Amino acid sequence: MTQLGLPGFDPPEPTDRLMFLLYPDAATAERIAAEARRLRDAFGLRGQPLRTDRFHVTLHHLGDYVGVPADVVRKGETAGAGLSASPFEVTFDRALSFANRPGNNPFTLQGGEGVQALVGFQQRLGLEMARVGLKPDKAFVPHITLLYDGQVVPVQAVPPIRWTVDRFVLVRSELGQTRHIVLNNWTLAG
């Protein structure tokens, strides 16, 4: 691979990912953790559940970068500030694996009708992103990753886990470090 047309130069590996996320409140995150442990035991999974503070819904990726590009952060902040929305309820009522990573499949919470308001919110945020020159994610499967495991678990009904979404965040994820750094957040107030 070449960079700038010069043979022998590999592009640098990305160090940072920018994303818009939703985090559940602390009590909901504890319920998610308890459900992750229950499901892990029920299906004999070996993967460790994510830490409670890592449970989230990814709304949009803004990209992977070497360092943090200030212009992309500014555009993300402008898009976030431009979105006017009221708080809404989201409900996750099923668990299943994404079978797209052999040996390391994300085991997730997902929802049916209970995620419709979330889908609409994600689309409206995407319109704000496009308005400021960012490329929104077109595909969106609302989910919360519970753990990663070699097994693939088919869809399972779970007791509904719901919360009222009242804020969203712009996050810098340090790739490979399992760290999220909140760069900005917005409260939903109508």
Side-chain angles (χ1 to χ4, degrees), residues 40 43-48 97-98 101-107 147-153:
R40 179 182 185 269
F43 292 102
L45 304 176
R46 283 178 259 173
Q48 289 301 313
S97 298
F98 286 129
R101 296 183 187 170
N104 195 25
N105 302 298
F107 184 52
L147 57 85
Y148 295 88
D149 197 84
Q151 282 191 81
V152 174
V153 179

Side-chain angles (χ1 to χ4, degrees), residues 11-88:
E13 287 291 317
T15 57
D16 296 277
R17 174 173 292 154
L18 296 174
M19 305 175 286
F20 281 114
L21 304 180
L22 296 179
Y23 287 114
D25 59 77
T28 302
E30 289 297 334
R31 287 196 316 274
I32 293 168
E35 188 62 18
R37 290 188 298 271
R38 184 190 74 77
L39 290 165
R40 179 182 185 269
D41 293 346
F43 292 102
L45 304 176
R46 283 178 259 173
Q48 289 301 313
L50 273 60
R51 291 190 332 253
T52 307
D53 65 343
R54 296 277 295 165
F55 292 130
H56 66 272
V57 176
T58 302
L59 297 167
H60 289 280
H61 289 93
L62 282 72
D64 292 353
Y65 303 94
V66 177
V68 180
D71 63 323
V72 175
V73 171
R74 272 192 305 278
K75 288 178 180 180
E77 290 176 331
T78 300
L83 181 60
S84 176
S86 297
F88 60 91

Side-chain angles (χ1 to χ4, degrees), residues 59-60 117-127 137 139-140:
L59 297 167
H60 289 280
L118 173 56
V119 169
F121 179 79
Q122 186 266 356
Q123 290 170 345
R124 290 196 334 260
L125 179 56
L127 292 173
D137 292 341
F140 180 55

